[in-house]
mmCIF file of all heavy atoms in Angstrom:
data_model
loop_
_atom_site.group_PDB
_atom_site.id
_atom_site.type_symbol
_atom_site.label_atom_id
_atom_site.label_comp_id
_atom_site.label_asym_id
_atom_site.label_seq_id
_atom_site.Cartn_x
_atom_site.Cartn_y
_atom_site.Cartn_z
ATOM 1 N N ALA K 1 -142.504 -48.336 43.167
ATOM 2 C CA ALA K 1 -143.129 -48.454 44.426
ATOM 3 C C ALA K 1 -143.531 -47.103 45.077
ATOM 4 O O ALA K 1 -144.596 -47.017 45.737
ATOM 5 C CB ALA K 1 -142.413 -49.399 45.372
ATOM 6 N N LEU K 2 -142.749 -46.228 44.851
ATOM 7 C CA LEU K 2 -143.032 -44.949 45.502
ATOM 8 C C LEU K 2 -144.347 -44.409 44.822
ATOM 9 O O LEU K 2 -144.927 -43.415 45.648
ATOM 10 C CB LEU K 2 -141.907 -43.960 45.240
ATOM 11 C CG LEU K 2 -140.445 -44.271 45.937
ATOM 12 C CD1 LEU K 2 -139.510 -43.304 45.405
ATOM 13 C CD2 LEU K 2 -140.809 -43.906 47.343
ATOM 14 N N LEU K 3 -144.835 -44.783 43.756
ATOM 15 C CA LEU K 3 -146.073 -44.118 43.225
ATOM 16 C C LEU K 3 -147.302 -44.795 43.907
ATOM 17 O O LEU K 3 -148.237 -44.008 43.963
ATOM 18 C CB LEU K 3 -146.143 -44.429 41.652
ATOM 19 C CG LEU K 3 -144.972 -43.727 40.932
ATOM 20 C CD1 LEU K 3 -145.048 -44.042 39.403
ATOM 21 C CD2 LEU K 3 -145.044 -42.190 41.187
ATOM 22 N N ALA K 4 -147.139 -46.035 44.205
ATOM 23 C CA ALA K 4 -148.550 -46.699 44.723
ATOM 24 C C ALA K 4 -148.280 -47.337 45.923
ATOM 25 O O ALA K 4 -149.191 -47.543 46.685
ATOM 26 C CB ALA K 4 -148.993 -47.635 43.612
ATOM 27 N N LEU K 5 -147.129 -47.928 46.232
ATOM 28 C CA LEU K 5 -146.997 -48.778 47.456
ATOM 29 C C LEU K 5 -145.705 -48.142 48.096
ATOM 30 O O LEU K 5 -144.586 -48.705 48.201
ATOM 31 C CB LEU K 5 -146.622 -50.223 47.081
ATOM 32 C CG LEU K 5 -147.984 -50.806 46.465
ATOM 33 C CD1 LEU K 5 -147.531 -52.303 45.868
ATOM 34 C CD2 LEU K 5 -149.053 -51.085 47.477
ATOM 35 N N ALA K 6 -145.714 -47.118 48.718
ATOM 36 C CA ALA K 6 -144.672 -46.339 49.409
ATOM 37 C C ALA K 6 -143.836 -47.273 50.256
ATOM 38 O O ALA K 6 -142.631 -47.227 50.375
ATOM 39 C CB ALA K 6 -145.171 -44.993 50.158
ATOM 40 N N PRO K 7 -144.498 -48.097 51.197
ATOM 41 C CA PRO K 7 -143.652 -48.952 52.131
ATOM 42 C C PRO K 7 -142.738 -49.958 51.441
ATOM 43 O O PRO K 7 -141.763 -50.358 51.950
ATOM 44 C CB PRO K 7 -144.742 -49.714 52.973
ATOM 45 C CG PRO K 7 -145.987 -48.783 52.832
ATOM 46 C CD PRO K 7 -145.836 -48.208 51.465
ATOM 47 N N LEU K 8 -143.052 -50.257 50.213
ATOM 48 C CA LEU K 8 -142.236 -51.215 49.411
ATOM 49 C C LEU K 8 -141.047 -50.708 49.075
ATOM 50 O O LEU K 8 -139.905 -51.353 48.933
ATOM 51 C CB LEU K 8 -143.102 -51.628 48.181
ATOM 52 C CG LEU K 8 -142.687 -52.805 47.438
ATOM 53 C CD1 LEU K 8 -142.725 -54.069 48.341
ATOM 54 C CD2 LEU K 8 -143.390 -53.004 46.201
ATOM 55 N N ALA K 9 -140.883 -49.357 48.965
ATOM 56 C CA ALA K 9 -139.630 -48.743 48.505
ATOM 57 C C ALA K 9 -138.391 -49.105 49.466
ATOM 58 O O ALA K 9 -137.411 -49.353 49.174
ATOM 59 C CB ALA K 9 -139.739 -47.204 48.421
ATOM 60 N N THR K 10 -138.806 -49.111 50.897
ATOM 61 C CA THR K 10 -137.775 -49.430 51.904
ATOM 62 C C THR K 10 -137.379 -50.909 51.750
ATOM 63 O O THR K 10 -136.259 -51.160 51.739
ATOM 64 C CB THR K 10 -138.240 -49.100 53.288
ATOM 65 O OG1 THR K 10 -138.566 -47.683 53.315
ATOM 66 C CG2 THR K 10 -137.222 -49.446 54.247
ATOM 67 N N SER K 11 -138.430 -51.730 51.732
ATOM 68 C CA SER K 11 -138.246 -53.170 51.693
ATOM 69 C C SER K 11 -137.505 -53.676 50.467
ATOM 70 O O SER K 11 -136.946 -54.822 50.373
ATOM 71 C CB SER K 11 -139.479 -53.946 51.912
ATOM 72 O OG SER K 11 -140.406 -53.743 51.112
ATOM 73 N N ALA K 12 -137.737 -52.886 49.363
ATOM 74 C CA ALA K 12 -136.994 -53.266 48.162
ATOM 75 C C ALA K 12 -135.573 -53.063 48.035
ATOM 76 O O ALA K 12 -134.824 -53.341 47.245
ATOM 77 C CB ALA K 12 -137.644 -52.575 46.853
ATOM 78 N N LYS K 13 -135.051 -52.309 49.140
ATOM 79 C CA LYS K 13 -133.659 -52.089 49.408
ATOM 80 C C LYS K 13 -133.043 -51.250 48.331
ATOM 81 O O LYS K 13 -131.767 -51.347 48.119
ATOM 82 C CB LYS K 13 -132.983 -53.456 49.586
ATOM 83 C CG LYS K 13 -133.436 -54.208 50.743
ATOM 84 C CD LYS K 13 -132.785 -55.517 50.985
ATOM 85 C CE LYS K 13 -133.349 -56.300 52.056
ATOM 86 N NZ LYS K 13 -132.766 -57.664 52.272
ATOM 87 N N ASP K 14 -133.865 -50.521 47.556
ATOM 88 C CA ASP K 14 -133.293 -49.475 46.632
ATOM 89 C C ASP K 14 -132.145 -50.155 45.730
ATOM 90 O O ASP K 14 -130.926 -49.844 45.690
ATOM 91 C CB ASP K 14 -132.675 -48.368 47.411
ATOM 92 C CG ASP K 14 -132.283 -47.187 46.483
ATOM 93 O OD1 ASP K 14 -132.868 -47.235 45.346
ATOM 94 O OD2 ASP K 14 -131.296 -46.442 46.852
ATOM 95 N N SER K 15 -132.584 -50.968 44.701
ATOM 96 C CA SER K 15 -131.739 -51.544 43.861
ATOM 97 C C SER K 15 -131.884 -51.109 42.393
ATOM 98 O O SER K 15 -132.738 -51.468 41.755
ATOM 99 C CB SER K 15 -132.081 -53.087 43.878
ATOM 100 O OG SER K 15 -131.367 -53.768 42.921
ATOM 101 N N PRO K 16 -130.926 -50.138 42.089
ATOM 102 C CA PRO K 16 -130.983 -49.569 40.726
ATOM 103 C C PRO K 16 -130.978 -50.745 39.694
ATOM 104 O O PRO K 16 -131.551 -50.637 38.498
ATOM 105 C CB PRO K 16 -129.873 -48.612 40.632
ATOM 106 C CG PRO K 16 -129.691 -48.202 42.158
ATOM 107 C CD PRO K 16 -129.901 -49.499 42.869
ATOM 108 N N GLN K 17 -130.096 -51.647 39.902
ATOM 109 C CA GLN K 17 -129.935 -52.643 38.984
ATOM 110 C C GLN K 17 -131.263 -53.585 38.714
ATOM 111 O O GLN K 17 -131.590 -53.806 37.608
ATOM 112 C CB GLN K 17 -128.734 -53.698 39.432
ATOM 113 C CG GLN K 17 -128.616 -54.885 38.440
ATOM 114 C CD GLN K 17 -127.886 -54.539 37.128
ATOM 115 O OE1 GLN K 17 -127.615 -53.312 37.000
ATOM 116 N NE2 GLN K 17 -127.557 -55.472 36.247
ATOM 117 N N ASN K 18 -131.980 -53.825 39.775
ATOM 118 C CA ASN K 18 -133.132 -54.445 39.614
ATOM 119 C C ASN K 18 -134.111 -53.666 38.795
ATOM 120 O O ASN K 18 -134.938 -54.074 37.997
ATOM 121 C CB ASN K 18 -133.746 -54.869 40.974
ATOM 122 C CG ASN K 18 -133.267 -56.088 41.508
ATOM 123 O OD1 ASN K 18 -132.474 -57.003 40.904
ATOM 124 N ND2 ASN K 18 -133.612 -56.459 42.767
ATOM 125 N N GLU K 19 -134.202 -52.391 39.130
ATOM 126 C CA GLU K 19 -135.179 -51.397 38.440
ATOM 127 C C GLU K 19 -134.862 -51.431 36.972
ATOM 128 O O GLU K 19 -135.676 -51.420 36.089
ATOM 129 C CB GLU K 19 -135.069 -50.055 39.024
ATOM 130 C CG GLU K 19 -135.529 -49.865 40.403
ATOM 131 C CD GLU K 19 -135.399 -48.590 41.013
ATOM 132 O OE1 GLU K 19 -135.022 -47.664 40.187
ATOM 133 O OE2 GLU K 19 -135.879 -48.189 42.173
ATOM 134 N N LYS K 20 -133.491 -51.495 36.571
ATOM 135 C CA LYS K 20 -133.174 -51.368 35.175
ATOM 136 C C LYS K 20 -133.527 -52.740 34.446
ATOM 137 O O LYS K 20 -134.082 -52.784 33.408
ATOM 138 C CB LYS K 20 -131.703 -51.233 34.959
ATOM 139 C CG LYS K 20 -131.189 -49.799 35.370
ATOM 140 C CD LYS K 20 -129.752 -49.671 35.330
ATOM 141 C CE LYS K 20 -129.184 -48.335 35.726
ATOM 142 N NZ LYS K 20 -127.707 -48.375 35.669
ATOM 143 N N ILE K 21 -133.343 -53.816 35.177
ATOM 144 C CA ILE K 21 -133.745 -55.189 34.607
ATOM 145 C C ILE K 21 -135.209 -55.279 34.386
ATOM 146 O O ILE K 21 -135.741 -55.654 33.363
ATOM 147 C CB ILE K 21 -133.342 -56.314 35.539
ATOM 148 C CG1 ILE K 21 -131.742 -56.343 35.527
ATOM 149 C CG2 ILE K 21 -133.875 -57.636 35.153
ATOM 150 C CD1 ILE K 21 -131.193 -57.348 36.453
ATOM 151 N N LEU K 22 -135.941 -54.766 35.417
ATOM 152 C CA LEU K 22 -137.432 -54.905 35.262
ATOM 153 C C LEU K 22 -137.918 -53.996 34.183
ATOM 154 O O LEU K 22 -138.869 -54.324 33.348
ATOM 155 C CB LEU K 22 -138.102 -54.451 36.555
ATOM 156 C CG LEU K 22 -138.024 -55.536 37.666
ATOM 157 C CD1 LEU K 22 -138.462 -54.979 38.994
ATOM 158 C CD2 LEU K 22 -138.953 -56.708 37.389
ATOM 159 N N LYS K 23 -137.388 -52.881 33.972
ATOM 160 C CA LYS K 23 -137.741 -51.878 32.832
ATOM 161 C C LYS K 23 -137.449 -52.647 31.537
ATOM 162 O O LYS K 23 -138.257 -52.559 30.586
ATOM 163 C CB LYS K 23 -136.988 -50.627 32.919
ATOM 164 C CG LYS K 23 -137.468 -49.679 31.854
ATOM 165 C CD LYS K 23 -136.730 -48.357 32.015
ATOM 166 C CE LYS K 23 -137.030 -47.321 30.876
ATOM 167 N NZ LYS K 23 -136.234 -46.092 31.052
ATOM 168 N N ALA K 24 -136.359 -53.216 31.384
ATOM 169 C CA ALA K 24 -135.817 -53.969 30.192
ATOM 170 C C ALA K 24 -136.761 -55.105 29.951
ATOM 171 O O ALA K 24 -136.679 -55.600 28.682
ATOM 172 C CB ALA K 24 -134.426 -54.339 30.272
ATOM 173 N N THR K 25 -137.483 -55.739 30.781
ATOM 174 C CA THR K 25 -138.420 -56.782 30.426
ATOM 175 C C THR K 25 -139.562 -56.329 29.548
ATOM 176 O O THR K 25 -140.201 -57.200 28.889
ATOM 177 C CB THR K 25 -138.968 -57.388 31.664
ATOM 178 O OG1 THR K 25 -139.794 -56.524 32.395
ATOM 179 C CG2 THR K 25 -137.882 -58.064 32.550
ATOM 180 N N ASP K 26 -139.856 -55.089 29.493
ATOM 181 C CA ASP K 26 -141.135 -54.646 28.867
ATOM 182 C C ASP K 26 -141.273 -55.166 27.410
ATOM 183 O O ASP K 26 -142.147 -55.643 26.996
ATOM 184 C CB ASP K 26 -141.201 -53.117 28.830
ATOM 185 C CG ASP K 26 -141.621 -52.626 30.193
ATOM 186 O OD1 ASP K 26 -141.879 -53.430 31.117
ATOM 187 O OD2 ASP K 26 -141.343 -51.330 30.488
ATOM 188 N N PRO K 27 -140.316 -54.814 26.433
ATOM 189 C CA PRO K 27 -140.513 -55.273 25.083
ATOM 190 C C PRO K 27 -140.563 -56.834 24.979
ATOM 191 O O PRO K 27 -141.206 -57.298 24.004
ATOM 192 C CB PRO K 27 -139.185 -54.814 24.440
ATOM 193 C CG PRO K 27 -138.243 -54.515 25.435
ATOM 194 C CD PRO K 27 -138.981 -54.158 26.654
ATOM 195 N N PHE K 28 -139.861 -57.550 25.937
ATOM 196 C CA PHE K 28 -140.057 -58.958 25.867
ATOM 197 C C PHE K 28 -141.353 -59.481 26.322
ATOM 198 O O PHE K 28 -141.880 -60.509 25.827
ATOM 199 C CB PHE K 28 -138.887 -59.578 26.715
ATOM 200 C CG PHE K 28 -137.548 -59.081 26.077
ATOM 201 C CD1 PHE K 28 -136.483 -58.813 27.048
ATOM 202 C CD2 PHE K 28 -137.229 -58.949 24.834
ATOM 203 C CE1 PHE K 28 -135.360 -58.286 26.714
ATOM 204 C CE2 PHE K 28 -135.992 -58.421 24.337
ATOM 205 C CZ PHE K 28 -135.016 -58.183 25.343
ATOM 206 N N GLU K 29 -141.953 -58.792 27.177
ATOM 207 C CA GLU K 29 -143.380 -59.122 27.698
ATOM 208 C C GLU K 29 -144.276 -58.962 26.480
ATOM 209 O O GLU K 29 -144.990 -59.878 26.151
ATOM 210 C CB GLU K 29 -143.686 -58.177 28.765
ATOM 211 C CG GLU K 29 -145.215 -58.436 29.103
ATOM 212 C CD GLU K 29 -145.720 -57.054 29.915
ATOM 213 O OE1 GLU K 29 -144.878 -56.314 30.329
ATOM 214 O OE2 GLU K 29 -146.899 -56.976 30.006
ATOM 215 N N GLY K 30 -144.097 -57.913 25.774
ATOM 216 C CA GLY K 30 -144.994 -57.581 24.490
ATOM 217 C C GLY K 30 -144.798 -58.672 23.470
ATOM 218 O O GLY K 30 -145.613 -59.122 22.867
ATOM 219 N N LEU K 31 -143.496 -59.046 23.320
ATOM 220 C CA LEU K 31 -143.292 -60.159 22.317
ATOM 221 C C LEU K 31 -143.801 -61.389 22.718
ATOM 222 O O LEU K 31 -144.384 -62.148 21.837
ATOM 223 C CB LEU K 31 -141.474 -60.277 22.210
ATOM 224 C CG LEU K 31 -141.041 -61.243 21.181
ATOM 225 C CD1 LEU K 31 -141.577 -60.854 19.783
ATOM 226 C CD2 LEU K 31 -139.616 -61.313 21.277
ATOM 227 N N ALA K 32 -143.784 -61.693 24.057
ATOM 228 C CA ALA K 32 -144.387 -63.104 24.484
ATOM 229 C C ALA K 32 -145.937 -63.069 24.306
ATOM 230 O O ALA K 32 -146.507 -63.984 24.078
ATOM 231 C CB ALA K 32 -144.033 -63.213 25.917
ATOM 232 N N GLU K 33 -146.561 -61.763 24.331
ATOM 233 C CA GLU K 33 -147.990 -61.817 24.243
ATOM 234 C C GLU K 33 -148.393 -61.734 22.805
ATOM 235 O O GLU K 33 -149.576 -62.109 22.445
ATOM 236 C CB GLU K 33 -148.533 -60.498 24.892
ATOM 237 C CG GLU K 33 -148.318 -60.656 26.476
ATOM 238 C CD GLU K 33 -148.878 -59.276 27.017
ATOM 239 O OE1 GLU K 33 -148.698 -58.163 26.394
ATOM 240 O OE2 GLU K 33 -149.368 -59.274 28.214
ATOM 241 N N ALA K 34 -147.638 -61.292 21.938
ATOM 242 C CA ALA K 34 -148.106 -60.999 20.433
ATOM 243 C C ALA K 34 -148.590 -62.159 19.781
ATOM 244 O O ALA K 34 -149.528 -61.948 18.877
ATOM 245 C CB ALA K 34 -146.858 -60.334 19.782
ATOM 246 N N GLY K 35 -148.153 -63.370 20.060
ATOM 247 C CA GLY K 35 -148.362 -64.550 19.140
ATOM 248 C C GLY K 35 -149.692 -65.007 19.440
ATOM 249 O O GLY K 35 -150.279 -65.762 18.582
#
């Protein structure tokens, strides 16, 4: 959010765990699209 939606950073309550989970979805997103 800091890159494009700065106000979102505060309302997202700074959750490192959520950030890690969201990053970890990337390869599964690609897998879901591939077929």
Side-chain angles (χ1 to χ4, degrees):
L2 286 172
L3 297 179
L5 295 168
L8 196 60
T10 299
S11 53
K13 301 180 183 178
D14 189 22
S15 171
Q17 178 73 358
N18 277 352
E19 291 182 2
K20 290 176 183 177
I21 290 173
L22 286 166
K23 182 180 179 182
T25 65
D26 288 348
F28 304 137
E29 172 200 346
L31 185 59
E33 292 179 326

